[in-house]
């Protein structure tokens, strides 16, 4: 076999990675499709803006809670059935949403969708650590995250095409198609996910101790896990403001055409598919902390450009920089989850990190909205993501320092 071909590509770990891509695809449909279908769903069901907001908020809260719960339960009860059943539930909820005729039915569908998508994604990304050695976890997580970017592009192309052909029921056709697809992914997950083989003793980093129980208490007491959780809280904080207000800012305050704004958003999605793979490989080569630093450095520049120099060239450059780092934090988190705790508890560590990112994404748009109303311009809201990315940049250096210090300490104890 060609030595340039990774060894894991010829092993069953490649099948696990393909399933991870599909689960990321399924989970991301619930994130990226709502914003495109909500206007038509609102008209069809006669919903108010308050009801629309309630649907989205409840869905996100349930998703965050289920991510943490699934990460806690996966080490004790196994990931296979949690991932498969949760994905099936998410697909069934999409079908329920497709036939909803009132607010409360839609709310039930949103709750189950959030529960299923969060419960499937966390143990799936955590499962990459047992199947891949530390030197390949970043690239594996990067390929898996590409499924989320594919969902971004597929939703952007399919939803408008379906709704243009049936303005009243096109949104229902969308959820019906995606629901069937996600159910299929759930079946594939149950069939093909297997328990990982034991890794060689030298495959685990020095700073990891064997677990003493099947409950992931050690993961929640690990300072490195909490440091990464803080970093991705800042990342979620930044992206929450950016994704909520970027398009509105350039359209309303700088007269950018809707079609041009849409092209910028699609370009970020396309770049995002490559950003995860690139940042994953970089983190494998230079370390998670330094990879975080490069990610937040580019984001600090991008967010700062549209705050300090609000002009067309800055919007384009910002979109490129954010697109190149769109999936980076997510990927580095998934890789580091298996580096800082025993691989058995990688799902639990990733679940805690996901909660941090979700909290940041949920809180920051509210504060940004207050700043915009007070100042009279959306420009000043971008102080928030710029500052958060800057703080995270220096926090990344601290993470790298802690990692190096602990690894040295463990080696000295071994000798």
């Amino acid at each position: 076999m060609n030595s340039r071909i990774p060894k894991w590509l010829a092993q069953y770990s490649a099948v696990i990675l393909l399933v991870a891509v599909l689960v990321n695809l399924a989970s991301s449909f619930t994130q990226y499709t709502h914003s495109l279908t909500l206007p038509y769903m609102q008209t069809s069901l006669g919903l108010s803006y308050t009801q629309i907001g309630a649907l989205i908020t409840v869905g996100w809260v349930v998703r965050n809670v289920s991510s943490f719960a699934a990460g806690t339960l996966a080490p004790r009860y196994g990931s296979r059935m949690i991932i498969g059943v949760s994905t099936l539930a998410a697909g069934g909820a999409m079908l329920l949403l497709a036939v909803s005729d009132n607010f409360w039915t839609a709310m039930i569908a949103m709750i189950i969708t959030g529960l299923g998508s969060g419960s499937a994604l966390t143990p799936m990304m955590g499962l990459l650590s047992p199947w891949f050695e530390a030197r390949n976890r970043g690239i594996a997580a990067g390929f898996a995250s590409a499924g989320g970017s594919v969902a971004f592009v597929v939703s952007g192309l399919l939803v408008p095409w379906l709704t243009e052909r049936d303005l009243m029921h096109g949104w229902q056709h969308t959820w019906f198609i995606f629901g069937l697809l996600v159910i299929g992914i759930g079946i594939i997950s149950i069939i093909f996910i297997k328990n990982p083989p034991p890794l060689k003793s030298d495959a685990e980093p020095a700073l990891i101790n064997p677990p003493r129980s099947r409950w992931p208490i050690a993961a929640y007491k690990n300072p490195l896990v909490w440091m990464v959780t803080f970093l991705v809280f800042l990342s979620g904080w930044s992206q929450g403001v950016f994704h909520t207000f970027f398009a509105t800012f350039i359209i309303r305050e700088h007269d950018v055409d809707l079609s041009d704004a849409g092209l910028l958003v699609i370009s970020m999605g396309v770049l995002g598919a490559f950003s995860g793979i690139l940042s994953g490989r970089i983190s494998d080569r230079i370390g998670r902390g330094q990879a975080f630093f490069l990610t937040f450095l580019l984001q600090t520049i991008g967010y700062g450009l549209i705050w300090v120099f609000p002009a067309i060239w800055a919007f384009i450059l910002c979109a490129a920089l954010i697109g190149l780092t769109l999936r980076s934090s997510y990927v580095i988190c998934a890789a580091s989850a298996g580096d800082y705790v025993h691989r058995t508890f990688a799902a639990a560590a990733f679940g805690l990190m996901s909660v941090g990112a979700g909290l940041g994404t949920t809180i920051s748009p509210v504060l940004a909205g207050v700043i915009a109303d007070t100042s009279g311009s959306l420009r000043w809201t971008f102080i928030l993501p710029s500052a958060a990315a800057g703080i995270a940049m220096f926090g990344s250096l601290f993470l790298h320092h802690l990692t190096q210090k602990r690894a040295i300490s463990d080696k000295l104890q071994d000798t």
Side-chain angles (χ1 to χ4, degrees):
M1 182 178 293
N2 191 333
S3 59
R4 291 181 174 271
I5 299 177
K7 183 190 299 184
W8 53 262
L9 197 60
Q11 299 174 343
Y12 201 81
S13 52
V15 177
I16 298 297
L17 182 56
L18 179 58
V19 176
V21 172
L22 294 176
V23 172
N24 271 268
L25 176 71
S27 180
S28 296
F29 278 141
T30 66
Q31 290 180 276
Y32 301 136
T33 306
H34 285 299
S35 62
L36 297 173
T37 60
L38 279 176
Y40 305 96
M41 179 179 170
Q42 182 180 19
T43 301
S44 179
L45 302 184
L47 303 178
S48 66
Y49 283 110
T50 300
Q51 290 175 316
I52 288 293
L55 290 175
I56 297 300
T57 300
V58 169
W60 269 107
V61 170
V62 172
R63 183 184 173 103
N64 283 334
V65 173
S66 66
S67 295
F68 181 78
T72 302
L73 295 174
R76 186 167 185 85
Y77 298 107
S79 297
R80 174 172 164 266
M81 292 307 297
I82 293 177
I83 295 169
V85 173
S86 297
T87 305
L88 288 174
M94 292 179 182
L95 297 182
L96 177 61
L97 188 60
V99 298
S100 298
D101 59 359
N102 58 71
F103 169 75
W104 291 110
T105 305
M107 176 62 79
I108 293 173
M110 289 293 290
I111 291 173
I112 300 175
T113 301
L115 180 66
S117 60
S119 297
L121 188 59
T122 297
M124 185 70 253
M125 295 304 289
L127 193 61
L128 294 178
S129 291
W131 276 99
F132 291 86
E133 296 181 357
R135 64 177 179 269
N136 293 319
R137 285 172 186 160
I139 190 67
F143 275 111
S145 75
S149 298
V150 171
F152 187 96
V153 176
V154 170
S155 298
L157 295 175
L158 184 61
V159 175
W161 184 78
L162 289 172
T163 52
E164 285 175 0
R165 279 153 180 76
D166 190 339
L167 293 177
M168 183 59 67
H169 301 291
W171 68 272
Q172 293 174 307
H173 300 160
T174 297
W175 287 114
F176 185 78
I177 292 172
F178 286 167
L180 291 178
L181 179 60
V182 171
I183 288 175
I185 293 173
I187 295 172
I188 290 173
S189 301
I190 293 175
I191 294 174
F192 289 101
I193 289 178
K194 294 182 179 180
N195 293 324
L199 293 179
K200 297 178 181 179
S201 59
D202 61 353
E204 295 284 4
L207 60 155
I208 293 177
N209 296 317
R212 296 182 179 181
S213 72
R214 300 295 292 179
W215 290 110
I217 303 301
Y220 302 140
K221 296 168 64 176
N222 190 311
L224 294 174
V225 173
W226 281 100
M227 188 65 209
V228 174
T229 301
F230 174 67
L231 292 180
V232 294
F233 169 80
L234 294 172
S235 176
W237 177 284
S238 299
Q239 293 196 20
V241 176
F242 180 78
H243 292 306
T244 302
F245 294 111
F246 175 67
T248 303
F249 174 57
I250 65 177
I251 291 171
R252 291 186 177 179
E253 298 190 19
H254 292 276
D255 298 324
V256 175
D257 291 338
L258 177 61
S259 58
D260 292 335
L263 286 175
L264 285 178
V265 173
I266 290 176
S267 68
M268 284 190 287
V270 173
L271 288 172
F274 298 98
S275 73
I277 299 172
L278 178 62
S279 59
R281 174 48 73 192
I282 290 174
S283 76
D284 286 337
R285 296 291 178 86
I286 68 175
R288 314 306 180 198
Q290 291 176 303
F292 266 130
F293 175 81
L294 291 176
T295 295
F296 290 123
L297 173 62
L298 294 179
Q299 291 183 354
T300 301
I301 296 172
Y303 297 135
L305 280 174
I306 54 177
W307 168 37
V308 181
F309 305 105
I312 297 299
W313 67 268
F315 301 152
I316 296 173
L317 185 55
C318 173
L321 291 174
I322 301 306
L324 286 171
T325 58
L326 188 65
R327 307 291 287 176
S328 297
S329 295
Y330 174 79
V331 167
I332 301 170
C333 272
S336 64
D339 291 352
Y340 302 151
V341 300
H342 192 274
R343 61 196 182 102
T344 305
F345 298 150
F350 184 72
L352 183 60
M353 297 170 188
S354 298
V355 171
L359 286 175
T361 304
T362 303
I363 296 171
S364 62
V366 177
L367 182 57
V370 173
I371 293 176
D373 288 335
T374 303
S375 65
S377 172
L378 286 170
R379 174 184 178 181
W380 302 107
T381 64
F382 294 101
I383 294 175
L384 294 178
S386 301
I391 294 171
M393 185 173 63
F394 291 101
S396 303
L397 296 178
F398 185 62
L399 173 67
H400 178 68
H401 172 72
L402 285 178
T403 305
Q404 295 295 103
K405 183 178 179 180
R406 184 169 175 181
I408 293 173
S409 175
D410 287 343
K411 286 182 180 179
L412 289 176
Q413 290 179 5
D414 291 340
T415 57

